[in-house]
Structures are given as structure tokens and as C-alpha cells.
Amino acid sequence: MFSVGDQVVHPMHGAGIIDDIVQEKVAGVTKEYYVFKMPVGGLILKIPTANSQIVGIRSVMSKNEATALLDAIPALEVECNANWNKRYQENLLRLKSGDLYEVARVIKALMHRDNQKGLSTGERKMLHSAKQIMISEIVLVENVAYKDVELRLDSAMMQLPVAN
């Protein structure tokens, strides 16, 4: 269970802080909710405390883990499925996993595809969301500017290898 002030990550929205824990009555049933607030973008979510593990809420990584992740990105190999629908579904599953290495694979594959062939509107939105998920956590962990993390991430992502 998390406490007010804890830094946590939602797999589909990124990193934020537990701003409050409230009880609300919905459909006649009183439940406890985490009030999850994202410093980047200002998104506020209410997540049932009982479902937080199912949703995939986790504590943010450490500074050392963030450094290791950024250092590992250039060596990540990614595959780009030619079928748009299959590629989109595979990438969506990677994002939902909450594993930042899988999120990094999505970003890297989409960035390289964008450079080679361009992206559809759906994939462009997915790329933006994936980058936001990763950057928001690193910003929170390292306490640095969003733009600085984005530049570091973009630089790491454009390094090879990429399997085609």
C-alpha cells in the first residue's frame, strides 16, 4: 500500500505522486482511492487502492536504475513488424506491461520507423504517450527538466542497433 507523498508510476500514464487517499461512494459502495497527480501535464486520476496492483501501479525506479536504463537503450534491439495492426497491438501490450525496457523498445522502434517511412496518426500518438511515460519517471527520479530528459532519450534512441 502506498502513502500520501509516495512517487509511483501508472503503466499507461507515467510517473506521479500520491496526492491524497480518499473514500468515495460509487454505486452505493464506499471504496478507497489513491489520488494520483502527475507533475508533468497535471493529470489527476483516482485509482481504487484495492486494484492498484492489478492496474500495475509501482514505485518509481531509483536514480541508478534510470541511469542504467538510459545507458542500455542504444544496445536495445527492436523489430518492426510490417503489418500496421499487428505492430500496433504488440506495442500496446509492451506499454501496458509497465516494464520501462519494453516501453523503450516501443519508442525506439517507432522513432526509427518514423525516420524511415513515417508514422500513422495512431502510431504518432503512441510514440508521444510512450515517451511521456518514460520521461515523466526520469524527470521525477532525477529532478531535472522535461526537455533535458527528452533530449537525452532522443539521442539514446537514435543509436543503433535496430533489427529490421
Side-chain angles (χ1 to χ4, degrees), residues 25-149:
K25 196 172 198 173
V26 178
V29 179
T30 302
K31 290 184 179 180
E32 192 171 68
Y33 294 86
Y34 292 124
V35 179
F36 173 80
K37 186 175 184 181
M38 289 185 59
V40 177
L43 177 70
I44 297 175
L45 295 174
K46 289 186 180 173
I47 304 162
T49 58
N51 293 357
S52 63
Q53 281 189 320
I54 295 166
V55 171
I57 303 299
R58 62 172 174 78
S59 296
V60 296
M61 65 183 146
S62 70
K63 245 183 175 175
N64 288 341
E65 289 170 320
T67 300
L69 172 65
L70 287 169
D71 289 346
I73 288 171
L76 281 180
E77 288 191 27
V78 295
E79 293 180 22
C80 301
N81 193 314
N83 179 301
W84 179 90
N85 193 31
K86 188 166 174 57
R87 185 174 63 242
Y88 188 87
Q89 292 304 317
E90 288 170 354
N91 284 337
L92 193 57
L93 286 174
R94 286 186 178 105
L95 290 180
K96 285 181 178 180
S97 76
D99 180 338
L100 282 180
Y101 286 88
E102 291 301 310
V103 174
R105 288 180 200 286
V106 171
I107 296 168
K108 190 168 187 175
L110 291 176
M111 285 180 73
H112 282 275
R113 181 161 186 88
D114 192 24
N115 274 355
Q116 294 170 355
K117 301 177 182 174
L119 295 175
S120 67
T121 303
E123 285 182 314
R124 191 164 304 287
K125 286 179 183 177
M126 180 178 277
L127 174 58
H128 176 76
S129 294
K131 284 178 76 173
Q132 205 287 235
I133 289 166
M134 182 169 286
I135 292 170
S136 68
E137 185 165 359
I138 296 170
V139 163
L140 206 57
V141 168
E142 294 184 350
N143 196 26
V144 294
Y146 186 95
K147 201 70 178 156
D148 294 341
V149 175

